[in-house]
Amino acid sequence: MSANVLLAGVRSRGLDVDEATVEEWKKNDEASALPASLKLYEEINQLGFKIFLLTGRSETSRKATKKNLLDVGYSHWKRLILRGPSEQGTLAVDFKSKKRQELEDEGYRIQGSSGDQWSDQLVYATARRSLKLPNPMYYIA
């Protein structure tokens, strides 16, 4: 949904980017929207689907993440789901599958899903339709 262009620029110059740098970047809410993803989001929203945003980001970054999403044009989502303290260290694929299952247990049917990692799409409680976006920056198992 958002571009990691600033981090890509740092990495392309051969500079190390550690987890602390990435977390600091997230707190500064500087990511721009991917135009095609924002357009798809707006179209789905207009069709009346309930949209849940599921991310591997920590609950501690909620304020910055929400601000960034709103600033670049994402609005009217049903719920923004982030990792709580007890979910830190859980594999992304397990965390996201569990959260999707919780949504299904609440009575929602997951019609579509998009993400830049296979962990956004796989294992259980998967969507009827999935869109895997390219990400040359990193891979999460």
Side-chain angles (χ1 to χ4, degrees), residues 51-121:
I51 298 175
F52 295 84
L53 304 178
L54 173 57
T55 178
R57 289 184 177 197
S58 171
E59 187 64 45
T60 60
S61 67
R62 175 176 293 278
K63 183 178 177 182
T65 300
K66 183 177 178 181
K67 180 184 183 311
N68 186 214
L69 288 166
L70 292 169
D71 286 351
V72 300
Y74 293 96
S75 60
H76 307 297
W77 61 79
K78 177 81 174 166
R79 192 177 314 159
L80 174 59
I81 304 167
L82 297 96
R83 286 180 191 256
S86 66
E87 296 159 328
Q88 299 302 318
T90 304
L91 291 176
V93 70
D94 295 332
F95 166 72
K96 291 181 178 181
S97 292
K98 178 182 176 226
K99 293 302 178 182
R100 288 192 306 265
Q101 184 63 58
E102 289 173 5
L103 291 171
E104 286 187 347
D105 292 346
E106 291 177 31
Y108 294 102
R109 291 184 308 273
I110 303 172
Q111 298 297 320
S113 175
S114 71
D116 66 341
Q117 302 294 321
W118 285 115
S119 62
D120 297 328
Q121 322 286 340

Side-chain angles (χ1 to χ4, degrees), residues 2-12 34 115-118 132-140:
S2 64
N4 297 328
V5 175
L6 294 175
L7 288 177
V10 169
R11 285 191 172 142
S12 70
L34 295 172
D116 66 341
Q117 302 294 321
W118 285 115
K132 166 67 173 72
L133 304 170
N135 183 340
M137 295 296 301
Y138 57 88
Y139 172 76
I140 299 175

Side-chain angles (χ1 to χ4, degrees), residues 21-34:
T21 303
V22 173
E23 288 304 314
E24 186 62 31
W25 175 79
K26 288 177 187 176
K27 289 177 187 172
N28 291 329
D29 55 79
E30 297 173 348
S32 58
L34 295 172

